[in-house]
Amino acid sequence: MSDEQVKPDATVASGPETEPVGRHARVVLVDDHRMFRTGVQAEIGRTEATGVEVVGEAADVDQAVTVITATRPEVVLLDVHLPGGGGVEVLRRCAPLMTAADNPVRFLALSVSDAAEDVIGVIRGGARGYVTKTITGTDLVDSIFRVQDGDAVFSPRLAGFVLDAFASTDAPPVDEDLDRLTQREREVLRLIARGYAYKEIAKQLFISVKTVESHVSAVLRKLQLSNRHELTRWATARRLV
């Protein structure tokens, strides 16, 4: 997704209190959409009012790992879909920081996606919570401090996904084939399986048709499939449609 393209619901409603606060959290924003990062920075980054200090930003996986390692924030606001492997890859590469004895870095997913597999993927990767981009500014600030304190935070509807996935004593089953795909490739896979044309997918995901074609080629190669009909059968068999 380019910086010039705007996600339709990628906004954080206004509302943090303007009175000075005594609490403080250093935060890194990770999102591939520059205008969204700017909006979040303007909304929650008024440190004297919110207690949140934005100490860094990143637009892809490599940038995120570099900035997080350099700044060691208390909380990272992490988008699920990022160039370079997605939020799950950031979590994987930052695992030592999450388990550090002193000042562990905690992650809060902030995404437009409310898909169950996205939620479970980042929670399995070590994120402390998951909220959608329809959250108000006040609630986002509150969520940041709750995660900083070690609490788990979820948007109401998403909490059910986590409870269902981890209800049993056994670990959630892992689909090794599906895990080969990036988050964006999974999105494209799901839409292809639902019968969307490349142009429709491009419009829905705010990417170019050429990028859609590249993702489809990558999915077919990783899953060792020959065409979109085989891909549709594969996705249907796994109830991804």
Side-chain angles (χ1 to χ4, degrees), residues 106-108 123 126-131 142-155 159 162-163:
R106 294 188 167 98
F107 287 78
L108 173 62
I123 299 305
R128 295 293 304 174
Y130 194 117
V131 294
D142 180 64
S143 296
I144 288 169
F145 284 107
R146 288 176 60 191
V147 167
Q148 181 187 25
D149 291 339
D151 292 340
V153 179
F154 297 94
S155 294
V162 179
L163 291 174

Side-chain angles (χ1 to χ4, degrees), residues 3-240:
D3 285 345
E4 292 75 22
Q5 295 167 318
V6 182
K7 301 174 183 175
D9 54 347
T11 58
V12 177
S14 62
E17 299 295 332
T18 57
E19 297 178 0
V21 294
R23 56 189 182 176
H24 183 265
R26 299 169 66 255
V27 172
V28 165
L29 305 177
V30 181
D31 192 289
D32 65 345
H33 184 213
R34 177 178 54 81
M35 291 182 66
F36 178 75
R37 296 198 311 271
T38 300
V40 173
Q41 164 84 309
E43 183 64 31
I44 70 171
R46 294 173 289 112
T47 309
E48 293 182 358
T50 65
V52 173
E53 178 187 2
V54 178
V55 297
E57 299 182 13
D60 59 34
V61 170
D62 288 340
Q63 288 179 16
V65 174
T66 298
V67 172
I68 293 165
T69 302
T71 60
R72 294 295 294 268
E74 281 83 32
V75 179
V76 177
L77 292 181
L78 179 67
D79 194 9
V80 174
H81 302 136
L82 295 168
V88 172
E89 179 64 12
V90 175
L91 291 164
R92 186 187 69 80
R93 291 168 61 178
C94 290
L97 301 180
M98 289 189 280
T99 57
D102 297 325
N103 304 317
V105 177
R106 294 188 167 98
F107 287 78
L108 173 62
L110 175 63
S111 177
V112 70
S113 171
D114 62 359
E117 61 267 26
D118 287 340
V119 179
I120 300 306
V122 295
I123 299 305
R124 180 188 293 158
R128 295 293 304 174
Y130 194 117
V131 294
T132 60
K133 290 180 177 180
T134 56
I135 192 171
T136 67
T138 299
D139 287 343
L140 181 57
V141 169
D142 180 64
S143 296
I144 288 169
F145 284 107
R146 288 176 60 191
V147 167
Q148 181 187 25
D149 291 339
D151 292 340
V153 179
F154 297 94
S155 294
R157 193 175 83 85
L158 307 185
F161 296 155
V162 179
L163 291 174
D164 290 343
F166 295 96
S168 68
T169 55
D170 297 327
V174 175
D175 188 324
E176 294 183 358
D177 289 333
L178 188 61
D179 281 354
R180 293 193 185 100
L181 307 182
T182 67
Q183 296 295 333
R184 179 65 65 162
E185 287 168 353
R186 295 184 193 188
E187 284 185 318
V188 172
L189 163 65
R190 188 179 299 107
L191 293 174
I192 284 288
R194 290 176 179 172
Y196 283 68
Y198 285 5
K199 288 184 179 180
E200 293 173 321
I201 296 173
K203 182 177 180 181
Q204 181 156 333
L205 298 181
F206 296 91
I207 57 179
S208 69
V209 173
K210 185 176 180 180
T211 300
V212 173
E213 293 173 348
S214 296
H215 285 313
V216 172
S217 295
V219 170
L220 292 174
R221 182 180 68 255
K222 290 180 180 181
L223 299 181
Q224 298 183 16
L225 301 174
S226 301
N227 53 57
R228 63 181 297 164
H229 300 296
E230 291 183 1
L231 187 152
T232 299
R233 288 197 297 271
W234 187 94
T236 301
R238 286 162 176 77
R239 299 181 180 179
L240 299 177

